[in-house]
Amino acid sequence: MTAPDAGRGIGDRESAAEITTTFVGLPRDSFRILHVSTGNVCRSPITERLTRHYVKQRLGILGGALVVESAGTWGHEGAPMESHAEQVLADFGADASGFVGRELLDEHVIHADLVLTATRDHRAQVISMGHSAGLRTFTLKEFTRLVKAIDPATLPPLEEGVVQRARALVRAAAALRGWLLAPTAEADEVYDPYGAPLTFFRSIGDEIHQALDPVVTALTGVPARTG
């Protein structure tokens, strides 16, 4: 994807009023998942909305303690989701309505408990912003690989709350990172479908679906429904 106007960098700030509006009203004990890609119109919107969809399928509700968002390192601020991305979400029965693109800002990283990026470059950009983001920032596929190696019995049961379970999952994944490396550098990448035909968008949607399923199962303690 071609980067838009470079006049607005990753570290540029929203106004204090906008930041207050963004984060006010959330439960004090909440867990925020931030999905990051480049333009925030293709990959990260798909990942955000599929995460919400799968959590609702598992728990019956979404909201309150678990917050799922997205942003782009060169995000098209205020832009709609790409139409092919909307179609991919429709294929999975997920809701694409009301989406608005965002540029990744310091405040998004500061308030995120888990940052999942499309590529290693995105991960590096998030970590370079500081805010002690290293231990809670992974590529999506990297996090999936680590989560699969974690014994669910070592995580707090859902009865203790999804927030406590999610925080424990992130700590466990971070502890495993140096021991469970990717077989290839490309194994941790979700490639950009921007400008590609719908068939390629659908293949990326399938990749994201396959990566998210074990993550949401680990977060919620509830496996996907079959049949």
Side-chain angles (χ1 to χ4, degrees):
M1 172 178 289
T2 302
D5 181 7
R8 292 191 66 199
I10 293 174
D12 288 350
R13 303 274 180 161
E14 292 171 315
S15 70
E18 288 174 320
I19 294 165
T20 300
T21 300
T22 301
F23 297 107
V24 74
L26 288 172
R28 184 170 299 175
D29 192 22
S30 61
F31 187 89
R32 303 181 74 94
I33 301 172
L34 176 66
H35 294 292
V36 175
S37 61
T38 303
N40 195 215
V41 292
C42 299
R43 289 167 291 181
S44 51
I46 291 173
T47 315
E48 173 199 318
R49 293 307 177 92
L50 283 183
T51 303
R52 294 184 183 187
H53 180 63
Y54 295 148
V55 169
K56 286 180 182 178
Q57 284 185 331
R58 306 296 209 281
L59 301 181
I61 58 171
L62 175 67
L66 188 61
V67 182
V68 186
E69 303 170 308
S70 64
T73 55
W74 289 102
H76 294 278
E77 190 74 28
M81 192 186 310
E82 283 288 301
S83 60
H84 286 346
E86 290 185 347
Q87 182 58 57
V88 168
L89 290 172
D91 292 345
F92 286 101
D95 182 13
S97 64
F99 180 84
V100 178
R102 302 192 306 174
E103 182 180 6
L104 180 67
L105 300 175
D106 288 339
E107 286 72 22
H108 303 143
V109 176
I110 290 168
H111 288 86
D113 297 288
L114 172 62
V115 184
L116 297 176
T117 70
T119 70
R120 292 168 296 150
D121 283 346
H122 296 134
R123 181 185 63 194
Q125 290 181 66
V126 171
I127 293 172
S128 74
M129 295 170 71
H131 315 304
S132 303
L135 291 177
R136 50 194 168 90
T137 303
F138 309 79
T139 72
L140 171 62
K141 288 185 175 180
E142 173 191 22
F143 194 66
T144 301
R145 184 176 67 253
L146 298 171
V147 162
K148 286 180 175 179
I150 296 169
D151 182 356
T154 64
L155 300 174
L158 190 59
E159 289 76 15
E160 294 184 15
V162 68
V163 171
Q164 296 306 315
R165 184 179 179 90
R167 288 176 179 164
L169 183 67
V170 173
R171 289 194 299 268
L176 281 175
R177 178 149 47 189
W179 299 93
L180 195 61
L181 302 179
T184 66
E186 292 72 25
D188 282 344
E189 305 283 291
V190 176
Y191 291 108
D192 194 352
Y194 185 74
L198 180 57
T199 52
F200 188 67
F201 266 82
R202 282 178 165 148
S203 70
I204 293 300
D206 287 340
E207 283 186 37
I208 292 170
H209 159 73
Q210 294 295 330
L212 277 178
D213 181 71
V215 170
V216 176
T217 295
L219 279 170
T220 63
V222 180
R225 299 171 184 166
T226 58

